[in-house]
Amino acid sequence: MSEESFIAPDFGSDEPTGRKLAIICSKGNLDMAYPGLILGNAALGEGVQVDLFFTFWGFDMIMTERADDMAFSPAGNAAMRLPVGNLRMPQSLAPAPGMTALATRMLKKSIADIGVPTVPEFLDQIVASGGRLWACRMSADMFHVDKEDLRDDVQAIISASDFIEMTEGAQLLFI
Amino acid sequence: MPVTTIAGRQVHVDAEGFLTEYDEWDESLAPVLAKAIGIELTERHLEVVRFLRKDFLEQKETATTRRVQAVGGIPVKEQFALFPAKPGKKMAYIAGLPKPKGCV
């Protein structure tokens, strides 16, 4: 029996698969930063081309001064449970002073405990894996933000139509 | 689990071809497995493989690309260069380990 006769996994070719994923990140709450990062990173690991477009509050993810300072609030989140007893957290507690800081600390710890990186480190990994980051023109104008306020590895500030044009044929996720 | 013969040796594999028994792998299999998925093994590839083997013993699961960088010290970018397109699965396969289960 020759060496080549055994069954090896079919990983496809090393060339891009042709599959493309476009992810629009529009949220600035810490918990809503992660879905796009996790799915984008997973897609890159499967040989999929990934472009992320940051718009509106999602801009915080690529702003050097804000990316590590994103927060999580239990306000309006009916699924929020207390750390013990599987009890729903009363919404009346959510606006209490210090609650956002407390909830943010808890969420950051939960994320770090399972070995998942912070938002800036996660974006480092996505770029190292070949993912591309794009900033929204309108959001930049609206927030008076320019390229110097953004991570160095953001490709460019582009219009929505530029992004739609460049991601022709891509599967699209709006988060 | 099916049994197949790789480099003259009987090993257990899953339906995709990943080895299923940790102890049935040794380093002499690595170049054969690598070649089967189109990779010419170098010493640097082997450094990654050795980290994965050692880490699996401690963690009981296959390290993700993130962990190979954070704990193993091999940058993600380099992992993509060494194991093109699908580094997580390719390095696990060559190391005779299951596919990584972690999301990140």
Side-chain angles (χ1 to χ4, degrees):
Chain A
M1 190 182 276
S2 76
E3 282 182 1
E4 282 75 24
S5 66
F6 60 89
I7 298 165
D10 180 11
F11 292 118
S13 99
D14 292 350
E15 300 307 312
T17 58
R19 186 172 167 192
K20 296 198 281 185
L21 182 61
I23 305 180
I24 297 174
C25 299
S26 73
K27 304 286 196 295
N29 288 352
L30 182 62
D31 56 321
M32 291 309 289
Y34 277 91
L37 297 172
I38 291 164
L39 291 166
N41 183 62
L44 288 161
E46 290 300 309
V48 176
Q49 181 187 322
V50 176
D51 287 283
L52 296 109
F53 186 66
F54 298 88
T55 185
F56 271 69
W57 316 115
F59 244 59
D60 280 16
M61 294 170 69
I62 50 169
M63 288 184 69
T64 45
E65 297 227 326
R66 296 188 187 171
D68 214 12
D69 189 34
M70 296 178 76
F72 167 61
S73 169
N77 180 4
M80 181 77 183
R81 302 273 164 168
L82 294 168
V84 286
N86 197 28
L87 295 170
R88 197 184 294 280
M89 184 180 140
Q91 277 294 297
S92 56
L93 290 181
M99 190 55 79
T100 299
L102 176 69
T104 301
R105 268 202 307 279
M106 282 171 51
L107 182 61
K108 280 189 168 180
K109 184 174 182 306
S110 302
I111 290 168
D113 283 350
I114 54 168
V116 173
T118 62
V119 171
E121 285 176 13
F122 215 150
L123 286 168
D124 290 345
Q125 169 156 337
I126 282 172
V127 171
S129 305
R132 297 188 300 179
L133 315 179
W134 304 94
C136 162
R137 172 87 268 155
M138 177 186 150
S139 304
D141 292 346
M142 188 170 61
F143 297 143
H144 306 290
V145 165
D146 51 36
K147 198 93 170 46
E148 290 84 75
D149 302 309
L150 306 176
R151 298 168 56 96
D152 290 341
D153 49 16
V154 170
Q155 302 276 335
I157 299 174
I158 61 170
S159 70
S161 41
D162 286 344
F163 185 73
I164 294 296
E165 190 179 18
M166 82 166 62
T167 55
E168 183 178 348
Q171 294 166 309
L172 191 138
L173 276 176
F174 181 87
I175 295 169
Chain B
M1 288 293 174
V3 176
T4 191
T5 305
I6 301 178
R9 191 182 321 174
Q10 295 245 302
V11 292
H12 291 79
V13 293
D14 67 12
E16 282 183 275
F18 282 78
L19 271 65
T20 56
E21 302 300 320
Y22 185 90
D23 294 326
E24 287 180 354
W25 183 97
D26 67 33
E27 227 170 89
S28 69
L29 278 186
V32 183
L33 297 173
K35 196 171 168 215
I37 58 167
I39 290 174
E40 202 65 48
L41 213 64
T42 66
E43 187 56 30
R44 189 59 170 164
H45 289 96
L46 274 174
E47 284 176 35
V48 179
V49 166
R50 286 176 196 136
F51 167 74
L52 283 172
R53 295 285 300 179
K54 178 171 151 288
D55 192 66
F56 185 90
L57 270 190
E58 293 159 11
Q59 301 294 320
K60 308 292 176 221
E61 60 180 275
T62 307
T64 60
T65 52
R66 168 79 195 159
R67 188 170 169 84
V68 172
Q69 171 173 294
V71 182
I74 295 113
V76 164
K77 195 167 188 171
E78 190 179 354
Q79 295 174 45
F80 272 85
L82 292 168
F83 307 93
K86 299 183 181 182
K89 288 180 180 171
K90 285 183 176 176
M91 56 199 186
Y93 174 68
I94 296 169
L97 300 173
K99 287 185 278 193
K101 290 195 188 77
C103 283
V104 181

